[in-house]
C-alpha cells in the first residue's frame, strides 16, 4: 500500500485489514510504503508496527510517485498473491478476498471494477483518459478497468520487479507479462 500524507487514516486502515484477513485461513503481511509524506505518516507506521506484527514499513527518502512506491512494496512482498490498494479506505478491505479468490482460480491479475466511483469528476475523466491511452499503448482490452485496487499472482510480481528503469508503469508491466487478467465489481467508498 503506497502511503502519502495519510497519518489520520492509517490506524483505521490497519484495523480493517487485520480484521478482514484474520477471518480467513490465509497468512498475510501488510507492507506500507511511505512515499515521502510531509506529515507524520512514517512515525505512525512505525508506531503501528508495534501493535500489528504483520505490518512491515518501508520509507522512501522523498516522494517518488505511486508506481515507484508500489514497486518498492512489491520488491518486499513474499506472498503467493499480492494485493495492491490505496491507503484512504476508498478500497474496502472486505473486498480483498474476492480479488484474491480470482488468483486462487488461476488468474494472474484481478482488477477491481467500480460501477460507481465516489470521487471528483476530474479524477473520473483522468481515469477514462488513462484507460483509453492504455488501450492503444499496452493493448489493454476495453472491458478491463485499470484500477489501483488489484490482486496479482506472486510469480507475476517477481517478474514485474525485474524492471530496473526509473519510471515504472505497473499496469503496463503487468500487460507485458500476462494476458490472463480478469476483474470483479466492488464498491468504491468515500475517501477517509
Amino acid at each position: 500500500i503506497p502511503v502519502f500524507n495519510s497519518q489520520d487514516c492509517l490506524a483505521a486502515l490497519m484495523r480493517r485489514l487485520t480484521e478482514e484477513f484474520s477471518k480467513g485461513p490465509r497468512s498475510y503481511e501488510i507492507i506500507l510504503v511511505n512515499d515521502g509524506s510531509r506529515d507524520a505518516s512514517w512515525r505512525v507506521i512505525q508506531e503501528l508496527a508495534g501493535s500489528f506484527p504483520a505490518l512491515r514499513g518501508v520509507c522512501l527518502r522523498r516522494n517518488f510517485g505511486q508506481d515507484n512506491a508500489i514497486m518498492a512494496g512489491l520488491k518486499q512482498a513474499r506472498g503467493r498473491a499480492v494485493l495492491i490498494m490505496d491507503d484512504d479506505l476508498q478500497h474496502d478491505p472486505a473486498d480483498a478476498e474476492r480479488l484474491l479468490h480470482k488468483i486462487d482460480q488461476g488468474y494472474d491479475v484481478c482488477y477491481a471494477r467500480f460501477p460507481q466511483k465516489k470521487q471528483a469528476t476530474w479524477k473520473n475523466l483522468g481515469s477514462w483518459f488513462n484507460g483509453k491511452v492504455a488501450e492503444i499503448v499496452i493493448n489493454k482490452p476495453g472491458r478491463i478497468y485499470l484500477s489501483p485496487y488489484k490482486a496479482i499472482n506472486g510469480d507475476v510480481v517477481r517478474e514485474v520487479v525485474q524492471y530496473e528503469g526509473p519510471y515504472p508503469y505497473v499496469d503496463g508491466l503487468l500487460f507485458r507479462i500476462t494476458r490472463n487478467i480478469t476483474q470483479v465489481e466492488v464498491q468504491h467508498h468515500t475517501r477517509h
Side-chain angles (χ1 to χ4, degrees):
I1 302 169
V3 172
F4 184 70
N5 293 340
S6 299
Q7 67 183 23
D8 295 334
C9 67
L10 293 175
L13 174 66
M14 286 302 301
R15 281 192 303 274
R16 294 283 312 282
L17 286 167
T18 302
E19 177 184 302
E20 289 304 323
F21 284 116
S22 296
K23 292 178 185 176
R26 296 181 193 273
S27 61
Y28 65 95
E29 64 183 350
I30 300 168
I31 302 171
L32 297 179
V33 181
N34 179 45
D35 188 18
S37 296
R38 292 182 296 263
D39 66 1
S41 291
W42 178 240
R43 183 180 52 76
V44 172
I45 291 169
Q46 290 175 304
E47 290 170 2
L48 289 169
S51 302
F52 295 94
L55 172 60
R56 292 184 5 194
V58 174
C59 188
L60 303 181
R61 291 185 183 270
R62 65 174 181 82
N63 178 260
F64 285 94
Q66 187 175 35
D67 279 82
N68 276 304
I70 289 169
M71 287 292 279
L74 291 178
K75 288 178 181 179
Q76 298 296 315
R78 302 175 290 209
R80 288 189 320 241
V82 176
L83 186 75
I84 300 171
M85 65 188 304
D86 287 348
D87 61 356
D88 58 10
L89 290 169
Q90 282 190 293
H91 303 156
D92 193 339
D95 293 322
E97 188 56 39
R98 295 184 61 217
L99 279 80
L100 292 167
H101 181 67
K102 291 294 185 179
I103 304 304
D104 294 342
Q105 289 179 332
Y107 288 98
D108 288 331
V109 181
C110 179
Y111 285 97
R113 181 176 185 90
F114 310 111
Q116 183 178 9
K117 289 187 242 165
K118 301 200 176 172
Q119 61 190 19
T121 302
W122 66 268
K123 280 191 155 193
N124 289 336
L125 287 171
S127 293
W128 174 84
F129 181 74
N130 181 48
K132 289 300 177 189
V133 169
E135 287 177 32
I136 297 165
V137 176
I138 62 173
N139 201 24
K140 176 194 79 73
R143 65 179 174 75
I144 297 289
Y145 170 67
L146 296 181
S147 170
Y149 195 14
K150 56 187 150 269
I152 309 168
N153 177 295
D155 292 334
V156 172
V157 167
R158 287 177 272 290
E159 288 185 54
V160 166
V161 299
Q162 298 303 311
Y163 176 81
E164 294 182 2
Y167 306 109
Y169 175 41
V170 173
D171 291 317
L173 293 169
L174 291 172
F175 275 86
R176 200 166 115 198
I177 292 166
T178 185
R179 294 292 173 176
N180 186 17
I181 296 172
T182 191
Q183 62 189 0
V184 294
E185 282 198 1
V186 300
Q187 272 197 291
H188 196 249
H189 299 273
T190 305
R191 185 178 173 89
H192 187 278

